[in-house]
Amino acid sequence: MTFENLSISEEKVLAVLLLFIFSISIRFFLSLLKQRWANNFSHTATIVTLPLITYVITSVITGNIALSLGMVGALSIIRFRNPVRSPFELVVYFSCVTMGIAASVSLFWLVFFFFALILFVGSLILIDKVVVKYIKKKSIFLESFSEAIEMSTLEIKSDEKIDILENSEHLISETFQDENHLYILSSENFDTLLTIKKNLEKLPKIKYINIKK
């Protein structure tokens, strides 16, 4: 069956499915490129939900210039009037505005958008739980400073690679410069980082180590 033979309902379902698959693919492709900023739940949910929001908005306002201009104005107010701590927080605001606009145009689009959004975010949570239980035994999402949670950090500089840090679930940054390896770890639990610090201080290859609460 070609795309031209699909009904409107079938085309929308297929579009949502492809949006989810493609956005998840982009997320994991970024991980393969060692872009650690994309590895927390906030950024992952943002990457996944933004295409859906855009799809619903453009579908709802197609052919209505006045509604299009109103949409741009509404989103501009959110961006400039609210301090945003996380990209996902901004997406939530956009989602609420989109639901309001969709409801004023078509109840079908309101219901469609709501359940598709729940499906997208719920799928991320389910995937993470499956990975934790059956594959990696730890979350696929990194802790992030943008989650509005107080985090402690541990900075380590070494002239050699440290395997235990390379595989640490708390690792948020790893760089190599001036023939030194610089690691930055983050955790809500200060004692966890303190224990790591004490264990690393015994290694002769450590040139610098500092913990911040």
Side-chain angles (χ1 to χ4, degrees):
M1 180 172 60
T2 61
F3 292 157
E4 290 77 10
N5 296 328
L6 294 175
S7 67
I8 295 178
S9 298
E10 291 173 335
E11 183 179 345
K12 294 186 186 307
V13 171
L14 179 60
V16 169
L17 180 61
L18 291 176
L19 284 173
F20 181 76
I21 293 174
F22 291 164
S23 55
I24 279 289
S25 299
I26 290 173
R27 154 56 171 89
F28 285 104
F29 181 69
L30 289 171
S31 295
L32 291 176
L33 294 176
K34 299 187 181 303
Q35 299 298 306
R36 291 184 174 273
W37 61 268
N39 288 6
N40 60 67
F41 183 82
S42 171
H43 286 88
T44 302
T46 300
I47 293 170
V48 169
T49 54
L50 274 180
L52 173 64
I53 294 172
T54 305
Y55 175 68
V56 172
I57 290 175
T58 53
S59 298
V60 166
I61 66 179
T62 298
N64 192 325
I65 300 300
L67 192 58
S68 301
L69 294 174
M71 184 65 195
V72 172
L75 297 183
S76 297
I77 290 173
I78 291 176
R79 186 181 66 177
F80 291 113
R81 295 293 183 268
N82 188 80
V84 178
R85 295 165 297 180
S86 163
F88 187 53
E89 181 183 347
L90 186 59
V91 168
V92 171
Y93 297 138
F94 283 179
S95 300
C96 293
V97 172
T98 302
M99 285 193 291
I101 293 175
S104 66
V105 176
S106 168
L107 290 180
F108 166 79
W109 277 112
L110 172 61
V111 175
F112 175 84
F113 175 69
F114 177 77
F115 284 103
L117 191 64
I118 295 299
L119 176 64
F120 275 31
V121 178
S123 296
L124 292 180
I125 298 173
L126 180 61
I127 290 172
D128 186 48
K129 288 185 179 298
V130 170
V131 170
V132 169
K133 187 172 183 178
Y134 298 107
I135 303 176
K136 293 178 62 177
K137 307 303 180 183
K138 66 179 182 179
S139 175
I140 59 176
F141 301 118
L142 295 178
E143 296 170 319
S144 170
F145 290 108
S146 61
E147 305 288 347
I149 300 174
E150 290 189 5
M151 307 288 283
S152 300
T153 59
L154 177 64
E155 297 180 8
I156 305 102
K157 181 185 289 187
S158 170
D159 53 11
E160 297 180 17
K161 276 192 175 184
I162 305 176
D163 292 336
I164 191 174
L165 296 182
E166 297 270 342
N167 301 316
S168 173
E169 62 179 314
H170 303 294
L171 181 66
I172 62 171
S173 175
E174 175 192 354
T175 57
F176 180 76
Q177 57 183 10
D178 299 328
E179 298 185 354
N180 290 307
H181 296 270
L182 178 62
Y183 300 92
I184 300 179
L185 281 68
S186 172
S187 176
E188 298 176 54
N189 192 327
F190 178 78
D191 292 334
T192 298
L193 296 184
L194 189 60
T195 300
I196 297 175
K197 178 178 180 293
K198 290 179 179 178
N199 292 332
L200 291 176
E201 286 175 336
K202 304 172 184 178
L203 300 178
K205 56 187 175 183
I206 299 296
K207 301 179 67 176
Y208 167 83
I209 187 166
N210 183 47
I211 189 169
K212 297 179 181 178
K213 189 172 183 179

